[in-house]
Amino acid sequence: MKKINISLLMIIFSLSIVHTSCDEGFEELNTSDIAINELDPVPILNHAVWRSSPYFFRHTMIYEMAIVQHMVTPFGTSLAGGNYNQENFPIAQYTWENHYENIIRNSVDIISKYKDDTNRSNIYNMARIIRVYGGMVLTDTYGDVPYINAGLGFIERNDAPVYDSQESIYMSILSELEEATASLSSDSRIESGDILYAGDIIQWKRFGYSLMLRAAMRLTKVNPALAQEYVGKAVSGGVMESNDDNAMVRHSSNFTNFLGGELNGSEAANFYMTKPLVDFFQSNDDPRLGVMAVRYVGATSGSGQTEAVATRDSNDQIGLPMGYDNNTIGVRAEADGIGSFYSYTQFDRNTIGKQTAPFFILTYAQTQFLLAEAAVRGWADGEAADYFANGIRGHMEQLEIHDSNLAIEETAINAYIRAHPLEAGSELEQINTQYWVASLFNSQEAFANFRRSGYPALVPNPYPQSSISGDFIRRLTYHTSEYTNNLENINTAINRQGPDKLDTRVWWDQ
């Protein structure tokens, strides 16, 4: 795997900090007077990539991780969200703020400046791919959003961008990925300072085409013909071939993973692996549970969660059930025979949850599972069973990238794959349930694929004071500042898409 000197990240931060802020309003965010045209584009691109790792991870912990039932907290107030199926406006806005302010604005700045610079064509096309990634997360999270004109606040003084329909956004995403990825060339200047692939054009192309595959598969419900067309283009272009091609943000002790910071900081004793996830691992004798999970037996407080009472034995793990709050979880813990919710299973904060763990934007394992589904649908050559097995192996081997203590022995991987072949009649459920597992800690992607595929077959969160009328949260609500700064355009989007509520479905989730 290509190694990137982590000190480069600090250079990125120092060069890019002038370009960031914590602005609440989209108008102010979109009209900053801080010019960056004099800066080299590579650090600007790197800042956009770095902020693809959710900058304030608590929002994904509170919403997406709880919605897809990876990790949950019984606490409410500022931590309410997917755990209670309730609205929490400040938390729902973090993806909006981070992705527009950092990913979209930085990538659009490069695109606008280097569009006609033939000497820097690779950085131009890399920025286009990163812009697409940021735009996908935004539209998948909220639905109709500003995309075509987003990020032009400083460049064109457009402080009230139109909301594009999600359908038109995906048409743009697919065509831009096709053009930008094909245009990357080893004959042009190699941007060796980039933190994803150190300028490796082959790997950038694999990333671009794998992202195209992901985008194409989003359309399986609403436009299968177009989905099939772009699956074919992605496969022909060449997708990821191993974990060496994973698109990931690397972290260090000086440049930490924000989720790791939460799990090792004030929220350390508040978040737990869910019962559905633990039960899935245990019922399938999955070796991943034994390396990722820890339970502090007998702990009755956060301070009681010490190594002296820790167990990592798969058989000892007990996931925290959905549907409880801090007033009711104690009774359930007593019924589960553990006395206190502090003794439910957590992700091990010393390994997979450590502060230096990488964040995976897009992986070989996810790509293999999408190819498996495409093969089942008749959209890709090759055996679906082989792609499925490759995806399982890819994710199990990927864990070691987090920490050497997460390594799973080859014999255990082989045994699991033999015991869990792809079976006729249940292919889509098997494939997308494994995708759910392979997307741990990238819960935004897990949330999107869960809505698209309907798998895993999760039982709806039964919390009694829900803010939704359906079974699951289907989107997050818009940034509240938009009702002040961009009212006409947000109202147009709401009239087209539906109420600005948690259970309104986005276009591709019909």
Side-chain angles (χ1 to χ4, degrees), residues 1-4 8-9 12 45-46 48-50 52 126 129-130 191-200 203-204 207 244-250 359-362:
M1 178 169 296
K2 195 178 303 297
K3 303 294 184 183
I4 309 294
L8 176 61
L9 289 172
I12 299 163
L45 177 71
N46 285 341
V49 170
W50 169 59
S52 298
M126 291 171 182
I129 293 171
I130 295 302
E191 306 290 353
S192 58
D194 97 76
I195 60 172
L196 274 184
Y197 299 115
D200 189 309
Q203 290 189 305
W204 266 98
F207 172 43
D244 287 343
D245 295 327
N246 288 340
M248 63 181 180
V249 179
R250 298 159 177 85
F359 172 75
F360 291 91
I361 296 172
L362 193 155

Side-chain angles (χ1 to χ4, degrees), residues 412-472:
I413 296 175
N414 292 337
Y416 183 88
I417 290 173
R418 286 195 302 270
H420 298 86
L422 193 61
E423 298 178 354
S426 64
E427 297 99 332
L428 294 184
E429 180 173 9
Q430 286 182 272
I431 291 166
N432 287 291
T433 300
Q434 288 291 343
Y435 195 99
W436 173 64
V437 175
S439 299
L440 284 168
F441 295 105
N442 186 344
S443 53
Q444 292 170 324
E445 178 57 26
F447 180 40
N449 198 67
F450 168 64
R451 289 174 287 161
R452 177 195 72 84
S453 70
Y455 296 112
L458 299 173
V459 175
N461 180 356
Y463 190 74
Q465 300 175 40
S466 172
S467 298
I468 62 174
S469 57
D471 291 337
F472 293 95

Side-chain angles (χ1 to χ4, degrees), residues 370-385:
L370 292 177
L371 287 173
E373 180 175 340
V376 168
R377 294 176 180 275
W379 297 352
D381 294 334
E383 295 295 327

Side-chain angles (χ1 to χ4, degrees), residues 8 22 139 142 311 478:
L8 176 61
C22 296
T139 188
Y142 301 102
T311 176
Y478 291 126

Side-chain angles (χ1 to χ4, degrees), residues 282-321:
Q282 288 177 332
S283 64
N284 288 283
D285 196 22
D286 196 312
R288 285 173 284 198
L289 182 63
V291 297
M292 290 193 298
V294 62
R295 189 166 79 83
Y296 298 100
V297 179
T300 58
S301 66
S303 60
Q305 294 178 339
T306 65
E307 192 60 33
V309 297
T311 176
R312 292 173 176 80
D313 189 313
S314 295
N315 296 321
D316 294 336
Q317 305 308 318
I318 303 173
L320 194 148

